[in-house]
Amino acid sequence: SSQRAISLARDNGEIYATVGIHPHNAKVLTPDDVQELLGLGSKTQVVAYGEIGLDFYRDYQPRSVQIACMSEQLNLARQLGLPVVIHDREAHEEIFQILQDNKVWEIGGAMHCFSGDWVFAQRCLDLGLYLSIAGPVTFAKSQTLHEVARNCPMDRLLLETDAPFLAPVPKRGKRNEPAFLLHTAEKIASLRNLPLEEVAMQTTLNAHRLFKLPKVDG
């Protein structure tokens, strides 16, 4: 999938890629795996390493294997000079400890599809990470995420789709797509009592800063 992402980015200048092994596919990395990942991560279309992390909800792989695979890949991201995109599902404390032990603030990164509370969010911010908010912020029952969206410093906030999953209201239940990001941005603007344009501009600038994307006109 990393190879396909790179190919898609190579064929379309508006698309960038990440590489890495998702926790659902976690494994003990062989020397060949390491060399392949380092090679993929060196491609010019690649702007981040991930998503990597822990998923203790699905538990498709043994937790010890997930932890080892995440730690090894943090080291690869450091070698490549890439920020990391972190998958964290029901593994907040374990994730935090690994990121802290690996001094994640030295390479930077984002908590993908953030699902913790504001207390955990503050701890992630203290590690120098960005918080990436997806469609669930538009759900009426997502009060915990609403608090995070209200309080996160604007210069550390990112928006994402997590397509094809987690489509925002009013598209909930449909196959998610990038165009639906507008609804997530509108919800955050409403929660923060800010103009939509300000949320759109700042989160775009944040993404450019974190992923070192080329500047665009306008």
Side-chain angles (χ1 to χ4, degrees), residues 169-188:
V169 175
K171 304 293 185 178
R172 191 171 184 180
K174 298 182 181 295
R175 186 181 190 278
N176 205 356
E177 61 181 73
F180 297 171
L181 193 65
L182 171 64
H183 303 295
T184 302
E186 287 175 334
K187 180 62 177 183
I188 289 178

Side-chain angles (χ1 to χ4, degrees), residues 147-160:
E147 183 182 14
V148 172
R150 285 193 192 96
N151 290 296
C152 179
M154 279 299 296
D155 64 352
R156 302 282 286 284
L157 186 66
L158 298 174
L159 305 183
E160 65 169 284

